[in-house]
Amino acid sequence: RGFVIVFNSFANFACLRACLCVSARRQATHRQAQTGKIGFGVRLRRELSRTAKELKTITKPRKKESAKLNFLFRVFVLLCFRDKNISCLVPACPGQENIMTKAQLLLKRFNNSKTLPHVAIRLSRLISNENSMIREFEEIIRLDPSLVLRLLRVVNSAYYGLRQKVDDIGRAVAFIGMKSLHNLVVVEALKDVFKKSPYEDIFSRRILWFHCAAVSICSKMIAERIFGQKGEDVFLCGILHDIGMIVEDQVAQDLFLQTCKACQSESGQITEYERETIGTDHCAIGYELARDWKLTLEIQEGIRDHHKMLKNVSPSSITGIVQTAEYIVSRSGYPAIPGMEGTLSPPLTAHIQDNIKEYKTLVRDLPDEMSKARELYEIQEG
């Protein structure tokens, strides 16, 4: 009887319109799912939303029939979304599992493009092995002679302030430590990835690089000055926290540029626009990359959660420090994207308020630390 009501009323036109929309695009959307282009999901969601409103308007005078139509419409939506070619194309409210699956897909395409230097990937995996020897690091680094020269130049710069000149990788490790050397290698290897992009007015890789460098340096300052911790891990997390944006720009550029435009013209978190347009976000992609590199769990979580509003985050954790650093850096003139502000969870806000004098001093000293680290993050075009 319910189906008779549907097809004997004008409401069937609205349902059929959404049905035809799905049917006509079935093959096209399957290809979009394969290539990562999922913009049709937004169109489908709007179409279904309009259909729901029309059904509500049409059946308003008759409550019993309205309830039946509402039930049938929900069944219709579920049937549409059960289709494998459709379910992955609707990023309106994607579950965490779908976000991570999409992130893995984009990262796989990124890795296949061989954008990241092989030396950085090998070293990142080597650092996770506690039994690694200095000799193994030297052997990998020496595969890239220009990298050796750049590393030695940075090690002898004002940022480290060494009294003796270092002219050998082995001595560099002895002076600054294996983790610090590893972080330098990652920084030097990533510089080429962040060079000038063709759409500088919408998204600038150079601006993103300076943002990441500032967050890494600020994170290290917070760890060492505020909490008395070693700063190597938070430094690495800071330099990599937005690497997911590079992946998006590399393998889903059109969709990513749409996200950047929306972020600049409207209020809201960039991750919301990413999930709606791309189906995942740069935090999830960066998390998957950190897992692939076998970085520590704390660094993985710091990359994944740096845009989340967290209720129970510890200010001294890597996540807490990186989120605090990004908030400070974004408000100090180094945003990842113009107009974009960092997230600051309530426990971190309270922590800064309780230690406001120390943070004021830190913010005042940040430009000087950035200047000292110029050799570290400056990109040479050519």
Side-chain angles (χ1 to χ4, degrees):
R1 187 168 175 269
F3 281 99
V4 173
I5 293 172
V6 172
F7 287 101
N8 285 340
S9 69
F10 185 72
N12 73 314
F13 177 75
C15 289
L16 286 173
R17 184 174 63 182
C19 248
L20 290 171
C21 181
V22 174
S23 177
R25 293 284 299 187
R26 187 176 300 273
Q27 294 301 321
T29 51
H30 180 65
R31 290 193 296 272
Q32 287 174 333
Q34 300 287 339
T35 60
K37 297 179 180 179
I38 55 175
F40 174 65
V42 178
R43 280 185 54 197
L44 177 59
R45 191 180 75 254
R46 290 173 181 169
E47 187 71 27
L48 293 173
S49 178
R50 278 199 302 270
T51 303
K53 290 179 181 178
E54 290 179 10
L55 284 172
K56 186 176 180 181
T57 302
I58 294 166
T59 60
K60 189 174 181 181
R62 304 171 67 178
K63 292 183 179 180
K64 290 184 178 181
E65 292 186 4
S66 177
K68 292 175 182 178
L69 286 171
N70 184 48
F71 169 75
L72 290 170
F73 179 73
R74 290 186 182 183
V75 172
F76 160 74
V77 172
L78 289 172
L79 289 172
C80 288
F81 280 62
R82 279 182 60 192
D83 189 287
K84 293 181 180 179
N85 297 338
I86 300 297
S87 60
C88 62
L89 302 175
V90 186
C93 298
Q96 191 63 27
E97 185 177 344
N98 289 337
I99 291 173
M100 288 303 175
T101 302
K102 185 65 179 178
Q104 291 166 359
L105 173 64
L106 294 181
L107 184 60
K108 182 178 180 180
R109 292 175 58 200
F110 181 75
N111 288 336
N112 290 340
S113 70
K114 302 187 184 302
T115 303
L116 291 177
H118 188 57
V119 170
I121 298 173
R122 288 183 63 185
L123 280 174
S124 294
R125 289 171 177 166
L126 190 63
I127 197 71
S128 64
N129 185 356
E130 296 180 355
N131 298 319
S132 300
M133 307 293 290
I134 293 178
R135 176 176 51 80
E136 296 177 88
F137 278 83
E138 290 187 67
E139 289 175 356
I140 294 175
I141 294 170
R142 291 188 199 284
L143 295 174
D144 188 344
S146 64
L147 177 60
V148 173
L149 294 175
R150 297 201 305 270
L151 285 174
L152 293 176
R153 187 184 71 241
V154 172
V155 169
N156 289 296
S157 70
Y159 182 66
Y160 285 98
L162 301 180
R163 294 182 179 180
Q164 300 180 26
K165 184 177 181 179
V166 175
D167 54 9
D168 179 78
I169 292 297
R171 292 188 66 202
V173 173
F175 275 102
I176 69 173
M178 192 178 291
K179 275 194 173 182
S180 291
L181 183 67
H182 163 259
N183 291 348
L184 282 182
V185 172
V186 173
V187 169
E188 288 296 323
L190 288 178
K191 282 183 181 180
D192 291 338
V193 180
F194 283 86
K195 282 187 176 179
K196 189 174 180 179
S197 51
Y199 302 96
E200 290 285 306
D201 56 327
I202 303 174
F203 170 70
S204 170
R205 289 193 179 194
R206 288 177 61 86
I207 290 176
L208 178 63
W209 173 246
F210 289 131
H211 168 78
C212 291
V215 170
S216 65
I217 292 168
C218 186
S219 295
K220 191 169 185 287
M221 292 171 69
I222 293 172
E224 294 175 348
R225 293 191 184 190
I226 307 296
F227 299 109
Q229 302 174 356
K230 291 183 178 180
E232 292 93 343
D233 285 346
V234 292
F235 180 94
L236 182 59
C237 187
I239 209 72
L240 292 174
H241 78 285
D242 278 338
I243 188 68
M245 290 189 185
I246 294 296
V247 177
E248 291 173 323
D249 186 44
Q250 186 77 20
V251 301
Q253 190 175 77
D254 291 342
L255 296 174
F256 179 61
L257 292 178
Q258 290 178 31
T259 298
C260 293
K261 289 178 181 178
C263 184
Q264 292 173 25
S265 61
E266 304 173 22
S267 61
Q269 283 282 354
I270 186 172
T271 51
E272 296 174 4
Y273 299 116
E274 287 174 309
R275 291 168 191 168
E276 181 173 298
T277 307
I278 303 174
T280 186
D281 59 61
H282 70 278
C283 303
I285 296 171
Y287 169 75
E288 291 297 337
L289 184 141
R291 287 184 61 198
D292 186 50
W293 282 13
K294 302 188 187 307
L295 300 181
T296 65
L297 180 61
E298 291 79 7
I299 293 176
Q300 295 176 26
E301 292 174 345
I303 294 172
R304 183 192 65 196
D305 297 338
H306 72 273
H307 275 297
K308 286 184 179 179
M309 192 64 72
L310 304 168
K311 293 182 179 179
N312 300 311
V313 62
S314 170
S316 62
S317 66
I318 290 181
T319 300
I321 290 174
V322 170
Q323 194 175 110
T324 301
E326 182 172 48
Y327 182 80
I328 291 172
V329 162
S330 297
R331 289 179 169 266
S332 300
Y334 302 98
I337 297 173
M340 178 178 158
E341 295 183 356
T343 302
L344 195 63
S345 297
L348 306 181
T349 303
H351 165 71
I352 292 177
Q353 291 172 345
D354 292 340
N355 299 273
I356 192 65
K357 289 184 179 179
E358 289 84 351
Y359 276 99
K360 282 184 176 180
T361 302
L362 187 145
V363 171
R364 187 188 64 217
D365 294 344
L366 180 59
D368 289 338
E369 291 296 318
M370 289 290 293
S371 180
K372 287 180 185 178
R374 186 171 298 279
E375 286 280 357
L376 179 69
Y377 65 80
E378 199 167 45
I379 297 176
Q380 301 292 333
E381 296 288 352

